[in-house]
Amino acid sequence: MFVVLPREYNFLLNTKMKVTEHIARSKGKTLFSFEIVPPKKGNSIEELYRNIEPLIEFKPPFIDVTTSREEFFYKQHPNGLLEKKITRMRPGTVGICSAIQYKYGVDTVPHVLCGGFTKEETEYLLVDCFYLGIDNVMALRGDARKEERYFEPTKDGHTYAVDLVRQIKDLGRGKFLHDVIETDYGTDFCVGVAGYPEKHIESPSMTFDLARLKEKVDAGADYIVTQMFFDNQKYFEFVEKVRLMGIDIPIIPGIKPITTKKHLNLLPQVFKLDLPEILVSELEKCKTNEDVKQVGIEWAIEQSKELKLWGVPTLHYYSMGKSDNIVDIVSKVF
């Protein structure tokens, strides 16, 4: 008997593919993907859906969902004493990934961090992903906490992303933290890692940074997603250097449309990247943030068109939960 599945069951037919499989099946055609942030505690997931749905029309094969590390706050007691407490303002990464796969039939990529998580917590998270049919993860060290000048590893957690990649790959071989288990149901995650066309903020040199990337690839990383950049030449040069090191996995460019005037100073300061002079000149002419947003859209369109023509595997957009400008860009590129 033939049974027609409701729309909510599309995920059974369309997902369960790795990022690298999506890229291989595209046969050289540039794909479209994007990244979202979980809503803050107390907010509805419906707002997230409203921002996702206009982008689903462009058929993204996968969607990244970020993870936030812990934050500290102080609770004042009636006697005036302050108690230091820990919270996570944007929990729910794995739950959101599962919900998106179920609702839209699109593969998802939860971000897995070193910072803020013990190795044991990471193992539990990966097991949950396995049970939920999530085949892709993005392994990242994560940022320092706001009150830290430099990244400090969590007690019993990983210090570097390469160690996280090793744990993920060990799990696929039945090597858990406290046991080695012979199983026919081992995990087989497709692991993404970060690459930095203008080097990581903490790296003393580009050569040093590329060596760290090679370590992550040698540990089992399957693809690379770059930090945002605004000069495509930086990406082209980065890819050339990576290929000369013998790294042949996909390198996905990350695109961030500028949306506010403060990005003019904030992005170079936080990410230690350069903005092209012509972009700076156009942004300085803007009178309002709406003007800035339009310049950001137009710049990202031209960036994307050139990268697509160059043959990048995927154009990956950092949407930060808002989709209107991404829709404007993607509609002109795809």
Side-chain angles (χ1 to χ4, degrees):
M1 182 177 68
F2 180 75
V3 178
V4 178
L5 293 175
R7 176 173 174 268
E8 287 78 2
Y9 287 87
N10 284 347
F11 77 102
L12 291 172
L13 306 175
N14 299 334
T15 57
K16 291 291 291 178
M17 282 180 59
K18 298 178 181 180
V19 168
T20 49
E21 290 174 333
H22 283 296
I23 292 171
R25 287 185 61 172
S26 73
K27 296 181 179 179
K29 179 183 177 182
T30 298
L31 302 174
F32 154 67
S33 65
F34 62 96
E35 184 172 301
I36 59 174
V37 297
K40 287 185 177 180
K41 285 190 296 187
N43 290 1
S44 169
I45 197 172
E46 294 301 325
E47 182 180 353
L48 188 63
Y49 289 154
R50 284 193 293 272
N51 277 295
I52 289 174
E53 282 173 359
L55 294 171
I56 293 295
E57 295 180 16
F58 297 97
K59 297 180 172 55
F62 59 91
I63 299 170
D64 277 44
V65 183
T66 66
T67 298
S68 62
R69 65 173 305 170
E70 82 284 13
E71 299 177 31
F72 291 121
F73 72 98
Y74 290 90
K75 178 180 179 181
Q76 187 169 14
H77 292 280
N79 61 5
L81 293 177
L82 296 176
E83 181 183 4
K84 190 176 184 180
K85 307 281 284 185
I86 299 176
T87 188
R88 293 186 192 276
M89 294 304 297
R90 295 180 183 271
T93 294
V94 173
I96 288 169
C97 285
S98 181
I100 289 173
Q101 290 197 170
Y102 177 82
K103 186 174 179 69
Y104 300 111
V106 177
D107 282 307
T108 52
V109 186
H111 289 195
V112 183
L113 303 183
C114 297
F117 296 87
T118 66
K119 297 171 190 175
E120 193 100 23
E121 288 170 331
T122 297
E123 183 171 280
Y124 297 155
L125 182 149
L126 294 170
V127 170
D128 283 344
C129 288
F130 175 63
Y131 289 154
L132 290 167
I134 296 169
D135 286 347
N136 303 282
V137 294
M138 188 74 181
L140 303 166
R141 190 201 69 175
D143 298 324
R145 288 194 299 263
K146 293 177 182 177
E147 67 274 11
E148 294 175 345
R149 186 171 182 182
Y150 303 106
F151 177 85
E152 292 288 341
T154 299
K155 184 180 178 182
D156 298 323
H158 292 299
T159 303
Y160 301 108
V162 64
D163 302 316
L164 189 54
V165 174
R166 291 189 183 111
Q167 182 180 2
I168 295 167
K169 291 298 179 177
D170 279 347
L171 206 64
R173 294 186 283 267
K175 186 177 179 181
F176 291 75
L177 289 176
H178 307 301
D179 296 286
V180 176
I181 301 173
E182 291 188 15
T183 175
D184 295 327
Y185 304 99
T187 63
D188 186 22
F189 291 110
C190 179
V191 182
V193 293
Y196 300 87
E198 298 174 73
K199 86 174 184 62
H200 190 276
I201 184 175
E202 296 174 17
S203 289
S205 70
M206 193 67 187
T207 300
F208 180 92
D209 201 51
L210 289 169
R212 304 290 78 75
L213 178 61
K214 182 70 162 56
E215 288 176 355
K216 291 187 285 188
V217 174
D218 289 346
D222 298 291
Y223 68 99
I224 299 163
V225 180
T226 75
Q227 180 180 259
M228 69 182 77
F229 56 90
F230 296 90
D231 180 352
N232 284 351
Q233 191 59 36
K234 302 283 189 183
Y235 171 81
F236 300 145
E237 292 171 0
F238 174 72
V239 172
E240 183 179 2
K241 291 173 183 175
V242 170
R243 297 300 184 222
L244 286 172
M245 298 181 74
I247 297 173
D248 61 358
I249 62 177
I251 303 174
I252 297 172
I255 306 297
K256 163 69 177 165
I258 289 178
T259 55
T260 66
K261 194 92 179 235
K262 67 180 181 181
H263 283 162
L264 188 59
N265 302 113
L266 183 65
L267 295 179
Q269 178 183 356
V270 173
F271 298 101
K272 293 296 183 287
L273 49 80
D274 289 334
L275 296 179
E277 287 297 334
I278 187 171
L279 175 59
V280 172
S281 176
E282 290 302 311
L283 291 172
E284 286 184 324
K285 294 175 188 176
C286 294
K287 303 299 183 185
T288 67
N289 278 333
E290 276 304 310
D291 295 336
V292 170
K293 187 175 180 180
Q294 189 56 42
V295 169
I297 289 171
E298 292 170 3
W299 188 270
I301 289 171
E302 294 308 310
Q303 252 196 296
S304 300
K305 286 181 176 179
E306 184 181 29
L307 290 165
K308 188 180 178 186
L309 188 64
W310 199 73
V312 300
T314 303
L315 285 168
H316 185 73
Y317 296 90
Y318 298 115
S319 73
M320 303 307 292
K322 300 298 181 182
S323 63
D324 56 336
N325 59 339
I326 307 297
V327 169
D328 287 346
I329 295 162
V330 176
S331 63
K332 300 292 193 305
V333 176
F334 290 92

